[in-house]
């Protein structure tokens, strides 16, 4: 029983998700809190991007996991070192958090679309489609939770 609690505690504090090899969702929430505070203090904007892969519904769970792992690594390789790629609680989604670059939200969106598009075109799975939802913070949001709630109000694939 004590061992089970210890393992659960370690998983809750983990930074890297064991399955997808990207940051955990718990770490994403901690990083978002820090980024929100920093952005309010400095007056600089940041972007939160929710990446959803569509077209995997008929695939086996193992195939979906392998595809997500590959896509997560491709996204990591194509973004800046300041961008954080994290697991999302909803299957088939990733979070990306980072400072808003000089090219703005269009640049972030284009980088991710190009990276995942190349993966799909290289024969991995041509049925894959990507959906990107983007919110820029801190904006008029009262805090990180309010910013994340804005995703629920977005039409699919549209920026806030």
């Amino acid at each position: 029983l004590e061992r089970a609690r210890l393992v659960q505690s370690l998983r809750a504090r983990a930074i890297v998700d064991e399955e997808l090899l990207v940051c955990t969702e718990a770490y994403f929430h901690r990083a978002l809190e820090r980024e929100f505070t920093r952005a309010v203090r400095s007056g600089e904007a940041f972007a939160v991007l929710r990446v959803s892969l569509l077209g995997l519904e008929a695939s086996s769970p193992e195939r979906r996991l392998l595809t997500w792992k590959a896509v997560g690594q491709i996204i990591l390789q194509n973004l800046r070192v300041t961008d954080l790629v994290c697991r999302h609680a909803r299957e088939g989604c990733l979070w990306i958090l980072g400072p808003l670059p000089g090219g703005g939200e269009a640049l972030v969106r284009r980088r991710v679309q190009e990276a995942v598009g190349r993966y799909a075109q290289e024969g991995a799975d041509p049925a894959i489609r990507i959906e990107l939802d983007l919110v820029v913070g801190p904006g008029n949001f009262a805090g990180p939770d309010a910013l994340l709630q804005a995703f629920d109000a977005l039409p699919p694939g549209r920026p806030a």
Side-chain angles (χ1 to χ4, degrees):
L1 187 61
E2 184 62 31
R3 180 183 164 98
R5 273 191 247 156
L6 178 61
V7 169
Q8 184 177 11
S9 172
L10 288 172
R11 281 195 178 134
R13 288 184 278 156
I15 293 175
V16 177
D17 181 88
E18 298 169 13
E19 288 184 318
L20 296 184
L21 303 177
V22 296
C23 294
T24 64
E25 185 167 32
Y27 185 74
F28 165 77
H29 288 286
R30 293 191 303 265
L32 178 59
E33 184 79 39
R34 287 190 309 268
E35 184 66 17
F36 197 92
T37 301
R38 185 204 62 76
V40 167
R41 205 173 331 131
S42 69
E44 296 174 2
F46 65 92
V48 178
L49 190 67
R50 182 175 59 192
V51 181
S52 304
L53 283 186
L54 308 173
L56 293 172
E57 297 80 12
S59 300
S60 70
E62 294 82 16
R63 174 77 177 143
R64 287 194 304 265
L65 179 62
L66 286 172
T67 301
W68 267 107
K69 187 184 249 183
V71 167
Q73 294 307 302
I74 287 167
I75 290 171
L76 280 169
Q77 293 167 7
N78 285 277
L79 294 180
R80 304 162 299 171
V81 293
T82 55
D83 295 322
L84 187 63
V85 179
C86 304
R87 188 172 194 147
H88 190 290
R90 190 174 82 200
E91 183 184 354
C93 291
L94 293 171
W95 289 115
I96 300 175
L97 169 67
L100 198 60
E105 48 195 78
L107 178 62
V108 175
R109 190 179 286 274
R110 190 177 75 243
R111 282 181 183 157
V112 173
Q113 286 172 327
E114 287 173 357
V116 176
R118 279 193 306 274
Y119 173 74
Q121 289 172 359
E122 290 169 2
D125 195 337
I128 293 175
R129 295 180 326 278
I130 186 170
E131 182 177 278
L132 303 173
D133 297 308
L134 185 128
V135 174
V136 174
N140 294 324
F141 297 108
D145 291 337
L147 184 142
L148 293 178
Q149 288 172 0
F151 280 102
D152 296 333
L154 289 176
R158 304 273 186 224

